[in-house]
Amino acid sequence: MTQTQPALSALLARRRLGYTLEAQFYTNETIFRQDLDFIFARHWIQVGVEPDIASPGDCMIVDIGPHAIIVARDDDGGLRAFHNVCRHRGARLLHTAKTNVGNLVCPYHQWTYGLDGSLLFAAHMPEQFDATCHGLRRVHVRSLAGLLFICMAETPPDDFDAMAQTLAPYIMPHDIRGCRVAFEEDIIEHGNWKLTMENNRECYHCNAAHPELTRSIFAEGFGFAPVGAEAEAQAERFHSMVGALHRDWEQGGLPSREIEDLVDRPTGFRTERLPLEDAGESETLDTRVACRKLLGKFSEKRLGALSVWTQPNSWHHFMSDHIVSFSVFPLTPETTLLRTKWLVHADAVEGRDYQCANLTAVWRATNRQDSDLVGKAAAGIRSSGYRPGPYAPDTESLVEKFCAWYVGRLKIGLGT
Amino acid sequence: MNETAEPTASYTVEFTVSKRTVTCDATQFVLTAALAAGIRLPFTCRQGICGTCKSRLISGLYDMKHKGGIRPHEIEQGFFLPCCSKPLSDLAVEK
Ligand code: FES
Ligand SMILES: [Fe+2]
């Protein structure tokens, strides 16, 4: 049976509000390429953290679909980003995840670029060759209190500063720049990148799927609405904790209230400082801090977990003792890279201040469980029996907001 | 011997892999002396920019004027750039 695929604009126009997207959005090669063009090449994409490139000459590479990017720290401590492509014959300049370089030297014919991207040296080129026209192609890069974002568009969305102004006071006290990446994990999930994001935007599945994570977190902090007497009692307890703790935290100078602006702006985001269960200190198996050395200037351990989300591809949890930072990169229509980084105070020593296994236990387990769920969702969606299904109005309202943002941004991209 | 016209100091540079030893004046770059003696070493820019000539020094002192072709941590690990380094003593280079 051959059927002509409806154009993307027609699929977007007929999207049923409050329902999962049609299968093509999760499987189709053309739509995947349009996601890369309209979403990933035109928005602010979260790619890492400042401690990834702490010192002058530090470089990290990030691949987003067909886009190969270098993010670098220049000799003045500034941030730079370029396409990871030599201007001579196009070879990839850097091949390892993180390196420290003096200049960027192409391994093919040693064309050499400064950390500002300018071409410093190219042997055998004629006298009239203009090196100034052959610098590395630049990519915009910004830091939001230590979270690194790039934008490949010539003119990036102009709302980054507004987002940063709102979120920086929440994030700054955790002092990302004073941290070190203690552990990093890449997982390849077997589903479209949107399934990875949608799975993150609800905690409907948390209770059944995440025994480790739900020792500390409350599903209610991520949109979960209670059903039944016990769940309602639990939700009431959660909301009274939110009330009391937000008051305490804000009096102590830590912004905590929810701010949610996920749908109607190019750089959608959400944040809230959320209480944790029991000891209330950290997202660990015993809900206590995993690292003795607290972040920034903190002396109080019980600061809950600050949740920060950015559209289209990141979420982060900031606690008093460590930070877990998640970035999502599409690989193919049905595979996605989930990159997770655990950050501790730069001076924290493994074995003395923290045990890596304890630090990472909850989220390594949770990532595996989520990855499994994404794979199962993808497997059903690619089979012929799939039809879009309804989101629970409250419990999955934030998933709907992800889809609404995505559909809205594609429509703007297509000019429809 | 004329006491006033002091001859330029001259040192030996031993290349331990190719098992060749050359002489190199204190005013001469190590790469230049090696190439003049017919030793084939990798190089591109000859200005300390590209790092192509980067080599490990086994022993000796040198004066290097590079332009970003090598990192401080590489120098600490014993690497140098023969294209922009002059000897201050006899040298042994792992090449
Ligand atoms: S040949 Fe370029 S640094 Fe020596
Ligand atoms: Fe999950």
Side-chain angles (χ1 to χ4, degrees), chain A residues 143-156:
Chain A
S143 172
L144 159 54
L147 297 178
L148 296 175
F149 292 79
I150 59 138
C151 182
M152 288 177 261
E154 213 157 291
T155 313

Side-chain angles (χ1 to χ4, degrees), chain A residues 183-317:
Chain A
F183 192 74
E184 189 167 340
E185 177 184 72
D186 281 359
I187 291 185
I188 294 177
E189 301 198 333
H190 292 273
N192 182 271
W193 69 275
K194 296 187 287 296
L195 292 177
T196 300
M197 294 309 300
E198 290 165 17
N199 176 68
N200 170 258
R201 295 323 196 205
E202 49 93 356
C203 221
Y204 191 165
H205 70 272
C206 290
N207 199 18
H210 297 320
E212 296 85 0
L213 181 63
T214 49
R215 289 194 198 187
S216 59
I217 70 146
F218 291 90
E220 288 80 358
F222 305 91
F224 183 83
V227 180
E230 279 123 3
E232 277 166 33
Q234 157 92 339
E236 217 180 281
R237 188 176 141 247
F238 170 76
H239 289 296
S240 70
M241 280 174 85
V242 169
L245 287 167
H246 276 190
R247 219 173 22 249
D248 291 356
W249 288 332
E250 297 216 328
Q251 272 169 11
L254 296 177
S256 301
R257 258 164 304 168
E258 182 191 10
I259 299 180
E260 188 260 287
D261 202 346
L262 285 166
V263 182
D264 296 320
R265 49 188 292 144
T267 316
F269 66 89
R270 175 183 188 261
T271 190
E272 184 174 5
R273 185 176 296 278
L274 294 163
L276 296 172
E277 188 57 278
D278 289 342
E281 294 173 1
S282 206
E283 290 171 1
T284 52
L285 291 172
D286 64 0
T287 71
R288 297 187 181 278
V289 288
C291 184
R292 265 183 7 190
K293 190 148 185 58
L294 300 186
L295 303 179
K297 297 192 172 70
F298 292 149
S299 53
E300 172 61 54
K301 295 177 191 163
R302 200 162 167 259
L303 301 177
L306 172 70
S307 160
V308 172
W309 292 356
T310 67
Q311 311 282 45
N313 81 317
S314 83
W315 65 90
H316 316 270
H317 293 226

Side-chain angles (χ1 to χ4, degrees), chain A residues 56 100-103 105 110 121, chain B residues 44-45 49-50 52 67-68 71 73:
Chain A
N100 181 270
V101 302
N103 294 316
V105 185
Q110 291 74 50
F121 171 74
Chain B
T44 310
C45 72
I49 296 176
C50 73
T52 309
K67 296 183 193 157
R71 296 306 289 176
H73 71 89

Side-chain angles (χ1 to χ4, degrees), chain A residues 184-190 196 326-329 331 335-340 342 363-372 374:
Chain A
E184 189 167 340
E185 177 184 72
D186 281 359
I187 291 185
I188 294 177
E189 301 198 333
H190 292 273
T196 300
F326 305 81
S327 321
V328 171
F329 303 107
L331 297 174
T335 54
T336 301
L337 177 69
L338 171 64
R339 179 164 290 162
T340 308
W342 286 261
W363 275 106
R364 290 190 78 187
T366 305
N367 278 348
R368 273 191 298 279
Q369 293 148 359
D370 280 327
S371 173
D372 180 57
V374 166

